[in-house]
Amino acid sequence: MSGTWTAEPAAPAAADPRRWWGLMVIALAQLMVVLDATIVNLALPSAQRDLGMTDANRQWVITAYTLAFGGLLLLGGRIADLVGRRRTFVVGLVGFAAVSAIGGAATTPAMLFGARALQGVFAAVLAPSALSLLATTFTDPKERGKAFGIYGTLAGSGAAVGFVVGGVLTEYLNWRWCLYVNIPIAVAAVTGALVLLRDRPARTGARLDVPGAFLGCGGLAALVYGFGEAQPRGWTDPLVLALFAAGVALLVVFVWWQTRAPSPLLPLHVIRDRNRAGCFLTMMLAVIGMFGMFLFMTYYLQTILGYSPVRTGLAFLPMTASILIGSTQVSARLLRHVGPRTLMVPGMLLASGGMVILTGMTVDSEYVSDILPALILMGLGMGLTFMPVFSTATAGVAPRDSGVTSATVNTSQQVGASIGTALLNTVATSTGASYITSHLTGPSQRESVVREGIVHGYTVAIGLAAGIMLLAGLIAGLMVTAKAPKHSAPADRPVPEPVA
């Protein structure tokens, strides 16, 4: 590479008077994608009974979606750059609705698994298109803060909302409506996109990096699949080890290839930026802890405290409200005046503190006194963190790279969710089993010891999650050194690119 630099010129244009209505369309689509990652969790027992799934293969209802979503996000981001964000946004919405209908009408486990995988494929096209449309629509620092505050709220609270909606639909209709509900949402979003959203012209004459797509997506899919299989098989299982080895090897070759590809899938200058890399790592680690907490608290509330699906979902609402407050009322207001890490580090400390409180759970804990304070702290911490992560990671990116940058943010979320679910569940299961084995002295104690062992496993895993969130705060503090937006370059100013 030579020492010369070039950059695409910024395209100054009058602000679209319909941009805030367009934000509602983007937010609606993003909410649908985030909801679908969790909405089926509370419906899974009903679907398993209805379709005759075994305990061994029921995990594919969740894993098929996260595998396809996380593994194909980089490809989806590059397609958005090459074809056009609004076009891929609409295609993603239509496809997502269509396969949701197929999944809702499933008559066999395989049919449902396939529909969930296809949902992940279309979500991988839709999610980066939505975020890149947001990044290119709102370039004024003040408006950008508000817009990303709303978007960050959906990203952070959508999972909790999914539990509420899933519980209501499952309890009062049936599990199939957890998939059918996507159809009217997609119809409304497509209509709004065609009327309200506009896009910069797509790139012409560029080629898709097919080898890069195979290596990058294959490596991510192997890793996510390996983490998923580690739960039922064990971490030392030959298949799990082979998947990890294959995933690492493919990703190493992927990085090597990106330095030589004529049209790289992931231009390495996007992740060489210190602030952007710090945001990606912070997001992944934060989501590991958050999704682990969702998993354990769902089972704890239902199997230990005896909550119904609806009551379990409602129990997460205070956390959702806290995320909303932290994101829109704190982060969005302060980000114009302080650097991103000034929000991200305290955010991770608050979230970790909430997790530490949960490590004190017992079989007799009370929701109001023992669980609610932890959920509120978690929500505030996540709200403080998500908004500056999204805003900082996508700021200052050349327009032609906005899609792939957005995809990388989403990839870090999906990979974090998959790792968190597999890793923390394995820790909870193994430590819980050890506790039961060491404390069970007679048949009469079996029920009480098993319940205590299950909760013990949860608290140990949650303690690990608290440590992971502290690590996320440390990384944010050390790597994210960007200044407040009003003291830095305009958001639509592209990052210089090296020219070969």
Side-chain angles (χ1 to χ4, degrees):
M1 292 185 181
S2 69
T4 59
W5 299 82
T6 186
E8 291 187 8
D16 187 350
R18 301 175 299 176
R19 61 192 179 282
W20 292 105
W21 288 107
L23 172 62
M24 294 300 102
V25 174
I26 296 171
L28 186 64
Q30 177 65 14
L31 179 62
M32 182 180 70
V33 171
V34 176
L35 282 176
D36 222 71
T38 57
I39 193 172
V40 299
N41 280 274
L42 292 178
L44 187 53
S46 298
Q48 182 180 359
R49 291 192 299 269
D50 195 10
L51 300 181
M53 283 182 269
T54 67
D55 290 342
N57 68 18
R58 66 185 178 187
Q59 66 164 325
W60 285 105
V61 176
I62 308 299
T63 309
Y65 181 80
T66 57
L67 267 176
F69 195 2
L72 295 174
L73 266 169
L74 285 175
L75 180 61
R78 182 51 76 192
I79 290 173
D81 287 334
L82 298 180
V83 177
R85 289 101 184 179
R86 191 178 78 160
R87 185 178 301 173
T88 54
F89 183 77
V90 172
V91 169
L93 284 168
V94 172
F96 200 93
V99 296
S100 294
I102 294 173
T107 56
T108 65
M111 185 175 176
L112 180 58
F113 300 158
R116 288 288 288 166
L118 287 174
Q119 278 187 312
V121 171
F122 285 108
V125 173
L126 177 59
S129 301
L131 187 53
S132 58
L133 279 170
L134 183 63
T136 55
T137 298
F138 294 92
T139 56
D140 176 78
K142 183 177 181 180
E143 291 190 347
R144 187 180 178 87
K146 293 179 181 179
F148 275 91
I150 295 172
Y151 187 91
T153 299
L154 290 175
S157 64
V161 175
F163 284 116
V164 176
V165 175
V168 171
L169 292 176
T170 300
E171 192 161 325
Y172 295 108
L173 294 173
N174 62 56
W175 67 268
R176 298 180 185 275
W177 279 96
C178 291
L179 295 165
Y180 288 147
V181 72
N182 293 321
I183 299 173
I185 296 176
V187 169
V190 167
T191 303
L194 296 176
V195 173
L196 298 170
L197 297 181
R198 65 181 185 181
D199 191 16
R200 295 177 180 178
R203 292 178 61 187
T204 58
R207 293 177 298 171
L208 187 65
D209 179 16
V210 177
F214 171 78
L215 292 168
C217 297
L220 286 173
L223 287 178
V224 173
Y225 185 22
F227 280 113
E229 288 297 301
Q231 177 183 341
R233 293 175 178 270
W235 292 100
T236 59
D237 181 84
L239 175 62
V240 173
L241 295 177
L243 286 168
F244 287 154
V248 171
L250 286 171
L251 291 177
V252 169
V253 177
F254 168 77
V255 173
W256 170 83
W257 171 250
Q258 294 308 284
T259 65
R260 290 158 176 78
S263 300
L265 182 67
L266 175 60
L268 294 185
H269 64 265
V270 170
I271 58 174
R272 283 195 188 109
D273 179 84
R274 175 175 180 165
N275 293 295
R276 201 165 290 120
C279 286
F280 296 152
L281 287 173
T282 300
M283 173 63 79
M284 184 178 72
L285 293 172
V287 171
I288 286 177
M290 186 178 74
F291 268 74
M293 186 276 296
F294 280 144
L295 175 68
F296 301 134
M297 292 312 301
T298 299
Y299 277 94
Y300 175 79
L301 291 172
Q302 291 194 49
T303 62
I304 303 299
L305 299 188
Y307 282 23
S308 68
V310 171
R311 191 180 179 188
T312 300
L314 292 175
F316 284 107
L317 283 183
M319 180 177 176
T320 304
S322 298
I323 293 175
L324 177 65
I325 293 171
S327 183
T328 63
Q329 301 304 310
V330 182
S331 281
R333 294 175 183 271
L334 293 180
L335 187 59
R336 290 182 289 128
H337 307 287
V338 301
R341 68 177 173 184
T342 307
L343 298 170
M344 294 163 64
V345 173
M348 285 294 91
L349 290 175
L350 283 174
S352 180
M355 299 292 260
V356 170
I357 292 175
L358 290 178
T359 61
M361 289 190 311
T362 68
V363 294
D364 301 314
S365 292
E366 296 288 336
Y367 173 79
V368 173
S369 59
D370 302 320
I371 308 300
L372 181 59
L375 295 181
I376 291 175
L377 284 178
M378 276 283 295
L380 288 173
M382 287 298 178
L384 285 174
T385 302
F386 278 131
M387 185 266 169
V389 164
F390 281 121
S391 182
T392 306
T394 57
V397 179
R400 66 181 181 181
D401 288 330
S402 65
V404 72
T405 303
S406 304
T408 308
V409 178
N410 282 283
T411 296
S412 65
Q413 283 185 279
Q414 295 304 313
V415 172
S418 301
I419 293 173
T421 301
L423 170 64
L424 297 178
N425 191 62
T426 298
V427 171
T429 302
S430 59
T431 55
S434 298
Y435 181 95
I436 293 170
T437 300
S438 62
H439 287 76
L440 188 60
T441 58
S444 61
Q445 296 178 317
R446 180 171 182 81
E447 182 177 351
S448 61
V449 171
V450 167
R451 285 165 55 85
E452 291 171 359
I454 291 172
V455 175
H456 175 75
Y458 293 165
T459 57
V460 171
I462 288 173
L464 176 59
I468 292 174
M469 286 187 165
L470 285 177
L471 178 59
L474 178 63
I475 288 175
L478 293 177
M479 294 186 65
V480 183
T481 59
K483 298 179 181 178
K486 72 174 184 178
H487 298 304
S488 57
D492 59 345
R493 181 179 177 182
V495 173
E497 295 185 48
V499 178

